Amino acid sequence: MVTFDGAARAVYVSGTGPAVIVMAEMPGISPDVARFARWVRDAGLTVYMPSLFGRDGAYPEAEAGLAVFKRACVSAEFRAFGGGAASPVADWLRALAALAHRECGGPGVGAVGMCFTGNFALTMMLEPSMLAPVLCQPSLPLDNPAGLEISPEDLASVREVLDRENLVVRAYRFEGDRFCTAARFAAYAEALGPRFEPRVLSAAAANPAPPPFFEQFVGCAHSVVTAHLIDAEGEPTAAVRDEIIAFLVGRLADQGAAPQG
């Protein structure tokens, strides 16, 4: 367990090398999320995977996953609706990034957020050790397709950090995703300018048979590196997975490395 400001959470740690914080999508650390974390670890990085919601290791069944989603939406730790401010759990995650950097060394830390946690990788940029943010289908706020889950002041500070340190934000979504929309990516692009590097995949590239939670309640191509990824040579989602890992390794492997283009 790792405790900051009185909040204790399980954090799974594996690997060697610079640290990457991998944050699960809804409904929690599923087998697909754990598989992605192992891919990151096997690339020569140390994965820190905090348990933020759900039952760790559970297969994403429909009704159980929906129950987790509903609890998170009303939790004080998450700001699922409204936009214009970060979720309170972001402070805890920044503290985790600082701890991971102290424990693993290297030039800094990376972060991958997914869906409900997608934007956390951006707000974590207020932690000085953060160098490589990856936003996979950032879906908050749920009630505003063009909204951003960050305050204007924090967003300006993040942009200042990105410009000063010559960093970029990688972001991924499927075309037609109703939770992570084109309007949201447009809002990121307006706020971050050339520091925001979006990738949009065709919905046809998604796994057509995801677990029940995604099939019944998500209902669209959504989870770029987990439930909707097809792990086969030549598949666009597998190529994106490899691109994300190359970005993390390239950014964290050497202090003077330029952002991966």
Side-chain angles (χ1 to χ4, degrees):
M1 300 293 287
V2 176
T3 303
F4 301 115
D5 295 328
R9 294 180 175 86
V11 179
Y12 302 95
V13 182
S14 183
T16 58
V20 174
I21 314 300
V22 174
M23 294 165 282
E25 63 191 350
M26 280 290 160
I29 301 175
S30 67
D32 284 332
V33 172
R35 177 181 65 168
F36 175 77
R38 289 193 297 272
W39 283 327
V40 174
R41 177 200 64 189
D42 293 346
L45 299 166
T46 304
V47 170
Y48 285 67
M49 188 164 56
S51 177
L52 300 175
F53 39 71
R55 183 164 62 88
D56 300 342
Y59 185 71
E61 299 290 357
E63 295 300 333
L66 181 61
V68 171
F69 174 74
K70 289 179 176 179
R71 286 195 298 270
C73 282
V74 298
S75 168
E77 294 181 305
F78 303 102
R79 189 178 176 90
F81 303 99
S87 289
V89 74
D91 291 336
W92 193 95
L93 291 165
R94 285 194 288 268
L96 178 63
L99 173 67
H101 188 218
R102 290 194 299 271
E103 292 182 341
C104 296
V109 178
V112 181
M114 310 175 191
C115 178
F116 213 78
T117 67
N119 193 69
F120 297 171
L122 184 68
T123 54
M124 289 169 70
M125 288 303 299
L126 298 174
E127 157 54 40
S129 65
M130 277 294 307
L131 296 180
V134 179
L135 285 58
C136 291
Q137 70 273 356
S139 301
L140 301 186
L142 294 170
D143 58 343
N144 183 355
L148 299 181
E149 195 228 13
I150 187 171
S151 71
E153 297 78 15
D154 284 351
L155 190 57
S157 296
V158 168
R159 174 64 190 269
E160 181 182 355
V161 169
L162 295 170
D163 287 339
R164 183 179 67 245
E165 303 297 331
N166 190 29
L167 302 175
V168 297
V169 176
R170 285 285 178 86
Y172 298 83
R173 61 179 289 271
F174 280 107
E175 186 177 23
D177 187 341
R178 60 195 179 97
F179 295 97
C180 180
T181 64
R184 177 157 295 137
F185 267 33
Y188 280 120
E190 181 177 359
L192 302 178
R195 299 296 172 183
F196 181 69
E197 296 187 348
R199 305 285 193 271
V200 180
L201 287 79
S202 168
N207 174 14
F213 174 78
F214 297 92
E215 185 171 18
Q216 296 183 35
F217 293 115
V218 176
C220 61
H222 177 68
S223 299
V224 174
V225 296
T226 55
H228 288 104
L229 181 143
I230 302 174
D231 183 22
E233 186 175 354
E235 291 291 340
T237 50
V240 158
R241 183 254 337 262
D242 294 345
E243 178 181 292
I244 290 171
I245 292 173
F247 169 70
L248 294 168
V249 170
R251 187 66 239 179
L252 300 177
D254 178 69
Q255 183 95 30
Q260 303 299 294

